[in-house]
Structure formats: structure tokens, C-alpha cells
Amino acid sequence: MIARAESVQNWLENITYQMCNMPNSSSFLSQIAFLKSYSTSCAQETARDAVQVFGGCGITVTGMGQYIEHYHHTIPFDVLLGGAEDVLADLGVRQALRAKPKN
């Protein structure tokens, strides 16, 4: 779970650094679309893993697993607000192909 969070954090910081130091590049659209798709899939996997680690406590509204249960039930809404993964992946590929030179 930590590896997924660290990879998303690193990718986000990499894109931010590139945007600050190379403002005229047009390849950011595809990178951001891929990052959003990857981060939402990582969040869903992390929520599932957290419920598995906590066992029965991970699905209770009160007690030790209340934060895990809340995260597990709210992550689908975050995924929908961020954009559907297949649409974001398609957008990323189209933007990457558009930025690719013709030769």
C-alpha cells in the first residue's frame, strides 16, 4: 500500500517539477490523464487491501475500522469525480499521439 502511495506522490511531484521548469511543453495533458487514472486505481486497490488487513473491523462503521470503512465507501465517489479510468487512459493515449512528431 505504501509503495502505491509513494509512486503516485513521486509521479505527481515529477509532473509538477516539469510544469514549473518547462512551461511550454504540451505533453502535460497526457501525463496528467495517466496520473489521474493510475491514482484512482491505486486508491481503489489500497482501500480493498486495507479492508482485508483489518478483517471484520474494516467494514464496521464504529470502532477501530471506522476510518477504513469510510475510505472504502467514499473512494468510488472520488473515482467518479476524477473521471472514468478508461476515458482518462484513452485521453492520455490520444494526447500522447498528438504530441508525437510525424516522422
Side-chain angles (χ1 to χ4, degrees):
M1 289 187 281
I2 293 174
R4 285 191 289 261
E6 289 289 328
S7 66
V8 170
Q9 175 79 24
N10 184 26
W11 197 356
L12 176 63
E13 288 179 4
N14 190 355
I15 291 174
T16 304
Y17 177 80
Q18 290 176 4
M19 289 176 73
C20 291
N21 294 318
M22 299 184 304
N24 294 330
S25 179
S26 63
S27 66
F28 297 129
L29 296 175
S30 63
Q31 290 289 323
I32 292 171
F34 285 135
L35 175 62
K36 286 176 71 174
S37 174
Y38 179 69
S39 64
T40 56
S41 66
C42 284
Q44 286 179 328
E45 291 175 21
T46 302
R48 279 194 299 264
D49 289 349
V51 170
Q52 289 295 322
V53 167
F54 271 75
C57 293
I59 56 173
T60 59
V61 179
T62 59
M64 291 186 344
Q66 67 182 358
Y67 299 112
I68 303 298
E69 188 272 338
H70 179 72
Y71 181 62
H72 186 257
H73 283 294
T74 57
I75 195 64
F77 300 113
D78 295 338
V79 170
L80 288 175
L81 295 176
E85 290 181 35
D86 54 345
V87 173
L88 287 172
D90 182 55
L91 173 66
V93 170
R94 288 176 190 258
Q95 292 297 326
L97 290 176
R98 183 179 293 170
K100 182 181 171 220
K102 300 287 181 193
N103 298 338

